[in-house]
Amino acid sequence: MKLDVAYVGRSRLANEVSGTSSLRFAANVQRETVAFDAALRTPLRFREAISALHDVVISDLRFKPRNREAYQVWKKQQAARDAQLRRSAYEQLKREILQSSPEIAPDFEQKYQEKLRRYWRLRSKFSLRLMLRNPEMWRLLLPCDPVVTVADDVVLFECFSADQSSYGCLSCDRGDAFGESANLRLGTTNVDYSWAMYDHFQSLRSYRETRLQVDPGGVDVITSGGAGHHEEKIDIPDGWLRGFMQLQSAMTMPMRRVTLSRDAVYSILAWLRRHKPRTSPRAMRFELVAGQPPSIVLEPWEQRIVSQSTVHQEASAEPIRIWGARRVLALARILPLMDACDVYLLGTGLPSFWVARMGEMRLTLGLSGWTANDWSAGSALDALLPPGHVSDFRVRSAISLLQRERALSFDALQAKMICGPGDCAATLNQLALSGQVIHDLDANVFRWRQVMPLPIDMAELADVSPELVAAHELLRLRRVQINERVEQAANGQLISGRVDGQQVELVLDRDGVILRGKCACSHHHRAGIRRGPCQHLLALRAVAMRGQFTEDNNNSAWFDRLLRWSQN
Amino acid sequence: MAMDESAKELSHARELFSRGDARFVEVLRRVSDLQLLAQFADQWKVDRRSWSTEQKVEYLRGKPNCIGHQTVVKRLFKQAEADGDDAVVAVCAALFDRLVRHVRRTRYHYDWRSRSGWHEEYLAATGPALPRYRGPRVVRDSVTGKQEFVGVARPDAVYFSYRTRYYLQRRAWRYFRRLAFKSPERYVAAAVLLLREYPDSDFQRGEWILDSWTLLQLAFRESQVLQFGRARIRLASGGQLSQLTAAPRFRHLWQSMEAFNQLYDLVGTAPSRLVRVWAMQMLEQDHASRMQARPPTELLQLLVSPDEDVQQFAARFLKEATGIRDIPLATWFELLETAPQSALPIVCEAMKVNVKSDQLSLAECVDLTLREPTPLAELGFSLLRTKQVKTEPEFDQIARLADLRCIALAESVADWALSLVGSKSQYDRDHVSRFFDSLSVGVRQRAWAWLEADDCPGASDPILFCRMLETPFEELRLKVIDLLERRSLPGEAQRGLVAIWTSVLLGVHRGGRQKLKATRQLARELVAYPERADQLLPVLAAAVRSVRQPEARAGLAAVVASLASNANLAQAVSHHLPELEIVSAEALL
C-alpha cells in the first residue's frame, strides 16, 4: 500500500526571540487540519516519555545475521563478470519483449506476487544493514511518521515498530501536561518525524519554556514545490499495516488486567537486559492468584518476580504465557517516571498491552504475540475475531456516534446504538481493524481516530497465507481430531491426530513452535515445513495449543466467552 | 530461411539508412548474411553524409558479437583509412584492441624422464562470444530417448581469426604511425581521439593492457618495462605493469602548446584511468612550466574531479600556482559544497594555506567547525583558533561550538571553547551549560573534565548543577553519583538529587557500581532528613526489591543503617516495604 504524505517544512525545534523554544511538528497537509499550540508544563517528563516512544519505533529484535561484508565483496568481484553477460542478455531480451509486445501471461499475477515477496525480503535485509550504518537513511525506508491525535482531553502520539511487532501510544492529559492551547483544532494527522527530532527532544529542559506545536500552517501553503514543501510516498510493507491493525483490533477485546509495581517492572527489565534465553521455553509467565501479589516467571530460568506492592483483585486463573518479552525493554527509559504498570492480557501467545501510568501521561506498549509477526501470530489472533457479520447500518451508526462524540465508553456506545454487547463489540472490533477507532485502555473509552486518511479496506490488508486460510476452514468444519499426546523430555510434545481424513503427526517445542511434522499432503511433500507448515499441521497445532474448539455461533456468544475469560 | 530474414532486415535497414533514421544501427546488427552485408557495406562506406559517419562510429562502438559483420567492419576501416577519417580509424583501432583478449590460465606439464610434474601459467587467447543457434545437429538423450536439437555455431560465426585480429591491430597502428610522419600537425588530435575510445572496462585485467597493441605503441613505445614483438607485447624481463610510465612514440609531437591543451583536456575527460594517469605523467614530464602557469581556478576544477589521482595531481600544482591567493572566498566555499568526499581533505588543505583567517568572520569560522566531515571541521577550527574573542556576542558564538557534530574533533574543540567561555574572567553558566547538554559524548566528557578541574569557576555554582541534573544522558548522571562520594553539591542543587538517584537505581543498561553508591547516599540523606522519607523510601524500595542480588543487598543494608540511626523511620519503612519484618534490637536480645 502507498501512503501519500505532504508536509510544509520539517518538524524542528524553533528558538523564538522571546527565549522560548517550540517543538514544531509539521502536520500532513493532505489530511484534516489539526492544530495544537501549548506550553509544556513538565518538559523533562515529556522528554523521557516521548523518547521511550522513539525507542518503540526503532525497536527491532528480529534476527540480525552476522556481518559477512568482506565475503560479500569478494563474492561481488567474482560475480562481476557474469553480471556483465547477464546484463547484455537482459537488455537483448528486454528489447525483444518490448518489440513483440506479448499479451499478459496467465501466471503473471503469481509471478508478480513472487517478485513482490522477493522485493520485500531484500528490502528488509537492506533495511537492517542501513539501520546499523546510517539511521538517517534508514528512517526514509520506514513508515514511522507518528500519528498525532488532538482530542478534547488528551493528545495522543502513536507509532509502530520497525519489526512490525510493537505498538506505542503516548497519551498526555491536555490539562496537566500542557498549558492553554492558543490554536486548537481537534483531529488526527501524521507529523513529520526524523532522527534530528529525537535529538531535539533531548534538549528539553525545565528552565527553558518549550511549546508543543502541531503546525497547521501547511494548510494555507499547499502549493506543491513551495518553499519547504516536501512530499513522501511511503511504501508500507504488507505485514506492517496488517500487524498494526491486528493490534488495534486486539485492543478492543475484553482483556484480563494485571497491575505491576514499578519495582517489578524494573526487575523484569533488569533481568532481561542481563540474560538472553538460549533454549526454549522463552516465555514470560503470569501466575495470578486472587488476593495475592501477581508474580511473573521468566522462562527458561524460572526466575520469579513478585509485584510486592500490588494485589491481584480478580479471580485466579491458569498461567498466561506471552513471548517476545525483550520488547518490554522499550519501557526502560520511563521507569523513573512510572507510578505503576497495567498489563492487559488476551491469553497465551496472544497480544498484550503494557500501560505505564506516569501521572499526567500514559505510555501504552502493545506487543503482538511473537516478535516475528508471522503466520503463527496471525493464526492465533484471527481465531479471536468475531464470528458474525456486522451490518453496514450498525457500522455507520457507530461511526456517526463516535465522530460526533469523539470518545465514548463501551456502555454509552451500546446504549446509543441500541444493540447487544456482542454486536457492539464486533462493530468496534471491525472499526479498529479498519483503523478508525482506538481503545484508550486507561480511560476505558473508544476514541474516533483514523490512522490513514481514508478507512482501510480489508482487501488492502495483506493476504494471509492460503494454508492458514485453509486451516481456519478445517477448524470451522471441525475436521481436526487429536489421537495422542506424548510428552518428550527434550523436545516438548509429540501430537498425532487426524485432520481432514489425513494422518498427521507434529512435534511442538515448549513455546508451541512447530519443530517437525509429518503429513501426506502435497504442500508438505514438496518442502516440509521450510515454506511454512501445511494447513493440516496448522490446524492440529491450533487445536493442540487451545485444547478445544473455540468457534462461537454468534457475536454474543463470542463476546460472552471473552468476557468470562477476562473476568474469571 | 535465415537468408530471407536477413534480406528483410537488410531492406528495413536500407530504408532507415536512406531516411537517416536513428534505429538504423540496431536493425543492421540483426542482419547476419555475409553476402548481403558486404553489398550494403560497399554502399555505406562511401556515403559522405555526416549522419552516416556518426552511424559508423556508433556501429563500431557496439559489441563485436554480430555474426557475419566482420565484412562490414573491415570495409569501413579500409575506407576510413583511405579517406583519412581519423575518428572512424580511432574507433576501429580501439575495437581491434578489444578483439584480442588473453586470460591467465594454468597448465600442467609432466616430464616422464624425471617423473616430475609442474604447473605453468600461460596466456590463453579468448574472443567475443558469438550467439549460437539451434542447428540441424540432433542428439538422442540416452535416458529419456528424446531427440533434441543441439546449439552449434555457424561456420561464418567467427569475428575474424586471431591472425587477422593481430593484423588489424598492426594496420590500425600503421595508420597513426604514417600520420605522424606525413601530417605531424594532425597526429596529436587523432591520437587523442583514439585515447578517448578506451573505457576502464578495457583494462579490467593487467593482461588486457598488454593486448592493447595500438594504445601501447602510441603511449608506451619507449618504455623499458615492455618488450614489443612482431605481433605481441610482453613484459620485459623483471618488468611489472606497475612500473609503466608514459613513454610515447613521437614524443616531440606531444611537446607543443596544442598538445598541452589536448593532454590537459584528457586529464579531466578521458574515460579510462590508465589514459588519465598517462596524460598526467606527460604533463609532468614535458609541460611542468605550463602547468604552473595555468590559472588556479582551472586547477580547482580538476581538484573536484571524482578521480583521486586527478585530485592529487591538481593539488601538487595548486600549491605553486600563481594567483591562488586571489581566489575569492565565495569560490572556495562553492568548492567545499561541490567537492567529492575524497577531495575534501585536499581542498581544505589548500584553503588552509591560501585563505587568511581575517577573510572570514568569527561566525563563519564557527559554522565551518560545526560541519560534519572532519576536514571541514578541522579547517574551521584552525581558522577559529587564530581569532581574538573579546566581546559578549563573540563569546555567544564560541558557545555554539557545543553543537559540534564531528566526533574526531569533539574533545579538542570543547577544551578550547571551554578555556574561553569557562575561564574565571568570562564564566557564564548559560554558555557553559550548553556543553553539558551537547549531543556529542566527547564534548560532554570534556565539559565534565572542566568541572572537575581545581580552579573551575562553575564548581560552586548551584544553578549550573541544577541545570546539569536535568540531563537526559546517563553517563553524566553516573558521574554526579561519583562526585557525591567526594563532595556535596552546592546549595539548591542538593534538592534535585532524588531524580538522579531514581534514574540511576532504575537504570537497566549500566551503572552497577554507581547503584551501590546511590543506595548509600540515599541512606545518608534519609538519616539526615527523615521528613523526606516518603520521597526517598520508594526509590530505596526499588533497590531492595531488585532481582539483582548486589542491589538488593545494598538496598537492605541502607534501610537497616537508616533504621539503626533513626528508629522513628520504622513506620515509614513498614509502609513502603510491607514485606519487611522490622524487629527491634531489644527483641533480638
Side-chain angles (χ1 to χ4, degrees):
Chain A
M1 184 190 174
K2 302 267 186 197
L3 170 67
D4 294 348
V5 292
Y7 304 107
V8 176
R10 291 275 180 196
S11 294
R12 64 196 169 90
L13 183 77
N15 292 313
E16 310 292 346
V17 184
S18 58
T20 61
S21 49
S22 303
L23 274 174
R24 195 170 287 166
F25 285 102
N28 185 0
V29 295
Q30 293 187 349
R31 294 192 61 166
E32 62 180 323
T33 310
V34 178
F36 187 72
D37 181 3
L40 281 172
R41 286 204 170 141
T42 51
L44 295 187
R45 293 169 65 80
F46 181 76
R47 176 188 78 197
E48 298 301 310
I50 198 102
S51 299
L53 202 66
H54 174 84
D55 292 343
V56 175
V57 175
I58 62 166
S59 148
D60 191 349
L61 295 173
R62 288 172 292 187
F63 170 71
K64 293 177 188 66
R66 56 190 284 205
N67 189 356
R68 293 194 175 88
E69 198 169 324
Y71 166 69
Q72 293 297 345
V73 169
W74 173 82
K75 210 168 145 191
K76 203 172 166 186
Q77 284 169 352
Q78 293 296 310
R81 279 175 295 165
D82 298 342
Q84 185 67 28
L85 276 175
R86 277 195 216 106
R87 204 175 302 125
S88 60
Y90 166 76
E91 290 296 336
Q92 191 183 342
L93 208 62
K94 191 176 162 190
R95 272 200 300 275
E96 283 172 13
I97 290 169
L98 287 175
Q99 279 165 8
S100 57
S101 60
E103 290 176 7
I104 293 174
D107 59 346
F108 175 80
E109 186 63 30
Q110 188 192 345
K111 281 185 175 172
Y112 168 73
Q113 291 299 340
E114 279 172 17
K115 303 284 179 209
L116 197 66
R117 275 196 291 276
R118 183 160 180 254
Y119 163 72
W120 279 111
R121 200 172 56 242
L122 291 172
R123 188 172 140 169
S124 55
K125 209 170 151 186
F126 174 60
S127 166
L128 283 176
R129 269 174 81 87
L130 211 57
M131 186 171 71
L132 295 174
R133 302 289 172 86
N134 192 340
E136 281 289 338
M137 285 278 285
W138 173 69
R139 178 257 169 270
L140 297 178
L141 276 183
L142 263 186
C144 71
D145 279 348
V147 176
V148 173
T149 304
V150 180
D152 288 322
D153 50 344
V154 292
V155 179
L156 302 177
F157 299 84
E158 292 176 84
C159 65
F160 199 51
S161 73
D163 62 3
Q164 306 171 16
S165 71
S166 309
Y167 158 80
C169 174
L170 177 67
S171 159
C172 308
D173 289 341
R174 270 184 46 200
D176 295 333
F178 305 105
E180 199 61 37
S181 176
N183 185 9
L184 181 68
R185 282 190 190 182
L186 305 183
T188 302
T189 187
N190 305 90
V191 291
D192 173 50
Y193 184 75
S194 63
W195 209 274
M197 208 53 194
Y198 173 74
D199 291 340
H200 291 322
F201 291 145
Q202 307 314 309
S203 67
L204 296 187
R205 297 291 183 275
S206 65
Y207 52 88
R208 280 195 295 263
E209 195 200 345
T210 310
R211 300 183 72 80
L212 180 84
Q213 292 183 340
V214 177
D215 190 6
V219 181
D220 306 327
V221 196
I222 49 170
T223 329
S224 180
H229 184 96
H230 67 280
E231 293 186 13
E232 289 180 32
K233 290 194 186 298
I234 300 171
D235 201 356
I236 299 178
D238 290 347
W240 195 91
L241 200 59
R242 184 179 167 75
F244 192 92
M245 294 311 150
Q246 273 184 345
L247 276 176
Q248 297 294 313
S249 131
M251 272 173 94
T252 62
M253 295 176 188
M255 289 182 278
R256 181 180 287 272
R257 190 175 74 172
V258 181
T259 303
L260 300 180
S261 66
R262 178 174 71 172
D263 310 331
V265 178
Y266 164 70
S267 287
I268 293 170
L269 302 191
W271 184 271
L272 291 174
R273 181 72 182 82
R274 288 278 174 94
H275 302 83
K276 190 173 181 183
R278 305 265 171 209
T279 54
S280 69
R282 299 178 178 87
M284 185 190 283
R285 196 168 74 234
F286 285 78
E287 295 188 347
L288 309 171
V289 179
Q292 288 188 17
S295 61
I296 294 108
V297 180
L298 299 176
E299 298 174 351
W301 311 279
E302 291 297 317
Q303 175 66 44
R304 182 175 296 274
I305 290 160
V306 181
S307 176
Q308 291 289 358
S309 51
T310 58
V311 175
H312 184 63
Q313 302 291 2
E314 293 166 8
S316 310
E318 62 181 31
I320 300 167
R321 300 167 77 209
I322 59 169
W323 280 266
R326 291 182 71 80
R327 290 172 290 171
V328 186
L329 280 169
L331 297 178
R333 186 139 184 194
I334 52 162
L335 275 173
L337 312 182
M338 193 187 285
D339 301 328
C341 183
D342 293 329
V343 185
Y344 292 82
L345 299 164
L346 261 173
T348 293
L350 290 170
S352 58
F353 298 89
W354 298 62
V355 182
R357 284 185 268 130
M358 303 171 283
E360 74 283 9
M361 293 182 286
R362 270 101 27 220
L363 180 74
T364 304
L365 176 68
L367 307 177
S368 64
W370 308 71
T371 302
N373 186 26
D374 55 8
W375 54 268
S376 52
S379 66
L381 193 59
D382 287 350
L384 286 186
L385 292 178
H389 174 71
V390 181
S391 69
D392 288 346
F393 166 74
R394 210 154 265 162
V395 171
R396 280 201 301 274
S397 152
I399 288 175
S400 64
L401 281 168
L402 284 164
Q403 272 180 332
R404 194 174 63 231
E405 303 288 335
R406 291 270 170 194
L408 279 171
S409 68
F410 184 83
D411 292 338
L413 183 68
Q414 187 202 336
K416 290 191 178 189
M417 281 174 69
I418 316 170
C419 65
D423 289 333
C424 181
T427 309
L428 284 169
N429 193 280
Q430 185 164 325
L431 287 174
L433 200 58
S434 59
Q436 292 173 284
V437 162
I438 181 177
H439 184 195
D440 188 337
L441 289 168
D442 192 61
N444 199 16
V445 290
F446 292 85
R447 296 184 186 280
W448 177 251
R449 185 276 280 120
Q450 281 192 302
V451 167
M452 297 289 164
L454 294 170
I456 297 161
D457 189 3
M458 291 303 116
E460 285 182 50
L461 297 176
D463 289 338
V464 290
S465 144
E467 291 297 312
L468 191 62
V469 174
H472 283 154
E473 185 62 15
L474 289 174
L475 286 170
R476 198 182 63 79
L477 297 172
R478 302 187 176 228
R479 288 189 180 161
V480 187
Q481 180 192 341
I482 292 182
N483 294 336
E484 194 181 7
R485 280 173 187 259
V486 182
E487 287 296 328
Q488 294 187 327
N491 287 331
Q493 53 181 329
L494 169 73
I495 296 151
S496 59
R498 208 164 176 80
V499 181
D500 200 20
Q502 306 238 34
Q503 190 63 35
V504 181
E505 284 183 17
L506 181 67
V507 179
L508 293 179
D509 77 356
R510 293 184 192 284
D511 290 335
V513 176
I514 297 177
L515 295 179
R516 287 190 299 281
K518 196 191 280 183
C519 182
C521 73
S522 60
H523 182 276
H524 190 79
H525 181 71
R526 276 201 299 272
I529 62 167
R530 287 194 301 278
R531 283 161 57 186
C534 68
Q535 51 186 283
H536 309 103
L537 291 176
L538 283 172
L540 190 65
R541 175 186 171 276
V543 174
M545 293 291 286
R546 258 184 265 146
Q548 57 180 359
F549 293 102
T550 54
E551 295 303 321
D552 304 299
N553 296 324
N554 52 44
N555 288 339
S556 294
W558 163 79
F559 184 71
D560 288 344
R561 178 169 60 80
L562 291 177
L563 204 60
R564 272 198 308 278
W565 183 88
S566 69
Q567 287 170 351
N568 65 30
Chain B
M1 185 70 181
M3 173 94 169
D4 289 348
E5 278 177 17
S6 276
K8 266 190 220 165
E9 294 286 7
L10 188 65
S11 68
H12 185 200
R14 278 181 191 279
E15 194 185 323
L16 296 173
F17 179 71
S18 59
R19 282 212 309 259
D21 195 308
R23 289 171 297 166
F24 158 67
V25 171
E26 190 190 325
V27 176
L28 182 69
R29 283 170 66 86
R30 292 206 290 265
V31 183
S32 61
D33 188 87
L34 201 70
Q35 303 298 327
L36 295 174
L37 281 167
Q39 287 169 16
F40 176 70
D42 285 333
Q43 180 194 342
W44 186 16
K45 70 182 184 184
V46 292
D47 192 292
R48 301 291 174 208
R49 287 178 294 168
S50 63
W51 176 84
S52 174
T53 310
E54 283 167 17
Q55 295 304 303
K56 283 177 195 171
V57 170
E58 191 191 330
Y59 170 78
L60 291 165
R61 278 181 184 156
K63 285 204 170 153
N65 58 359
C66 303
I67 294 173
H69 278 243
Q70 58 270 35
T71 181
V72 182
V73 173
K74 210 164 178 178
R75 278 169 166 76
L76 292 181
F77 170 59
K78 285 184 176 176
Q79 189 63 43
E81 199 182 25
D83 295 346
D85 190 339
D86 299 340
V88 176
V89 174
V91 183
C92 287
L95 171 67
F96 299 152
D97 276 355
R98 227 166 279 142
L99 286 176
V100 177
R101 283 287 178 257
H102 288 81
V103 289
R104 268 193 292 183
R105 285 193 187 144
T106 310
R107 63 185 162 207
Y108 182 72
H109 284 284
Y110 182 75
D111 180 32
W112 63 272
R113 290 185 187 84
S114 60
R115 293 185 182 179
S116 60
W118 67 93
H119 288 278
E120 181 188 72
E121 259 196 355
Y122 72 104
L123 287 175
T126 60
L130 293 180
R132 298 165 84 85
Y133 79 111
R134 294 173 80 80
R137 195 175 149 205
V138 177
V139 293
R140 185 184 291 274
D141 191 312
S142 60
V143 178
T144 61
K146 213 169 143 187
Q147 285 192 342
E148 281 180 358
F149 290 99
V150 175
V152 291
R154 268 168 46 170
D156 55 351
V158 178
Y159 216 87
F160 303 118
S161 69
Y162 247 85
R163 265 174 201 282
T164 312
R165 292 176 195 184
Y166 289 144
Y167 165 71
L168 289 169
Q169 279 187 318
R170 291 199 302 276
R171 186 159 168 175
W173 167 238
R174 189 181 75 188
Y175 172 83
F176 288 98
R177 200 178 66 233
R178 288 184 178 170
L179 195 66
F181 289 118
K182 287 183 184 170
S183 311
E185 72 284 358
R186 278 174 53 204
Y187 173 76
V188 170
V192 167
L193 282 176
L194 171 63
L195 291 170
R196 285 186 197 283
E197 288 300 323
Y198 295 95
D200 267 333
S201 57
D202 282 355
F203 309 119
Q204 274 176 3
R205 295 158 171 261
E207 49 271 28
W208 290 2
I209 296 176
L210 293 177
D211 287 334
S212 305
W213 175 271
T214 317
L215 174 80
L216 292 183
Q217 287 281 0
L218 188 149
F220 301 99
R221 181 66 177 86
E222 307 300 332
S223 172
Q224 300 298 312
V225 180
L226 301 175
Q227 189 184 344
F228 288 79
R230 193 174 155 272
R232 301 287 313 282
I233 304 166
R234 292 190 165 78
L235 283 173
S237 174
Q240 288 179 350
L241 281 175
S242 58
Q243 298 168 341
L244 207 58
T245 51
R249 184 89 186 264
F250 311 113
R251 184 182 279 272
H252 61 281
L253 295 179
W254 289 100
Q255 289 169 342
S256 65
M257 185 62 196
E258 190 197 343
F260 168 72
N261 289 331
Q262 294 275 15
L263 286 168
Y264 188 84
D265 206 27
L266 265 186
V267 169
T269 56
S272 73
R273 179 171 174 262
L274 182 73
V275 174
R276 287 195 298 272
V277 172
W278 176 83
M280 285 186 272
Q281 288 174 350
M282 287 293 291
L283 288 172
E284 281 182 310
Q285 289 171 10
D286 297 337
H287 303 281
S289 56
R290 288 188 180 117
M291 276 303 294
Q292 277 159 12
R294 202 82 184 168
T297 45
E298 288 184 17
L299 289 173
L300 288 179
Q301 294 307 312
L302 284 186
L303 208 58
V304 294
S305 157
D307 186 347
E308 285 185 36
D309 295 313
V310 178
Q311 293 163 13
Q312 299 287 350
F313 172 76
R316 280 200 294 277
F317 284 98
L318 201 63
K319 280 177 193 163
E320 291 155 18
T322 49
I324 188 164
R325 287 184 179 275
D326 303 331
I327 294 176
L329 202 60
T331 310
W332 283 111
F333 275 106
E334 195 185 326
L335 210 61
L336 290 178
E337 300 300 329
T338 53
Q341 199 83 354
S342 57
L344 264 183
I346 300 170
V347 175
C348 289
E349 195 58 39
M351 210 171 153
K352 212 182 282 183
V353 174
N354 297 299
V355 173
K356 288 179 190 163
S357 64
D358 53 5
Q359 287 179 266
L360 276 84
S361 67
L362 183 76
E364 282 173 326
C365 292
V366 171
D367 286 340
L368 212 51
T369 313
L370 293 180
R371 290 183 65 175
E372 187 106 60
T374 306
L376 280 179
E378 266 177 349
L379 171 67
F381 188 41
S382 69
L383 294 168
L384 196 59
R385 273 185 296 192
T386 61
K387 295 279 181 189
Q388 293 287 322
V389 184
K390 287 175 185 167
T391 62
E392 190 56 31
E394 286 173 343
F395 281 104
D396 287 345
Q397 290 294 334
I398 297 298
R400 281 175 55 214
L401 290 171
D403 301 332
L404 191 81
R405 283 182 289 169
C406 172
I407 297 168
L409 288 185
E411 297 193 359
S412 51
V413 171
D415 279 342
W416 180 82
L418 283 166
S419 70
L420 293 174
V421 297
S423 65
K424 274 191 176 172
S425 56
Q426 296 298 337
Y427 171 71
D428 181 342
R429 69 175 69 91
D430 287 338
H431 290 156
V432 171
S433 59
R434 288 183 71 165
F435 289 84
F436 288 98
D437 294 344
S438 170
L439 293 174
S440 162
V441 183
V443 172
R444 293 198 300 268
Q445 278 177 348
R446 297 319 298 164
W448 187 265
W450 168 85
L451 188 70
E452 286 195 321
D454 293 336
D455 55 346
C456 175
S460 55
D461 184 353
I463 298 177
L464 178 68
F465 274 96
C466 282
R467 289 180 178 186
M468 201 169 55
L469 294 183
E470 293 191 358
T471 181
F473 305 112
E474 211 164 12
E475 90 276 358
L476 279 188
R477 290 176 184 155
L478 299 180
K479 283 180 191 294
V480 171
I481 297 293
D482 288 336
L483 185 73
L484 283 171
E485 291 292 293
R486 301 194 296 276
R487 52 169 280 205
S488 59
L489 299 192
E492 283 296 303
Q494 199 69 23
R495 288 182 167 277
L497 278 173
V498 179
I500 293 287
W501 284 323
T502 312
S503 303
V504 170
L505 280 175
L506 293 173
V508 296
H509 297 294
R510 54 195 290 199
R513 287 177 188 165
Q514 282 80 4
K515 283 184 181 195
L516 306 186
K517 291 176 188 172
T519 48
R520 283 200 298 271
Q521 289 161 11
L522 264 170
R524 282 201 296 270
E525 189 77 3
L526 196 57
V527 171
Y529 305 100
E531 69 277 10
R532 291 176 68 192
D534 286 339
Q535 195 186 3
L536 300 173
L537 272 172
V539 186
L540 209 50
V544 174
R545 290 169 181 160
S546 170
V547 75
R548 291 178 182 165
Q549 289 307 309
E551 287 169 29
R553 281 196 294 269
L556 212 50
V559 171
V560 172
S562 311
L563 284 172
S565 302
N566 187 349
N568 295 334
L569 286 169
Q571 196 181 353
V573 171
S574 306
H575 174 68
H576 289 286
L577 290 161
E579 67 272 26
L580 291 187
E581 190 180 344
I582 302 170
V583 183
S584 64
E586 293 80 20
L588 283 173
L589 293 170

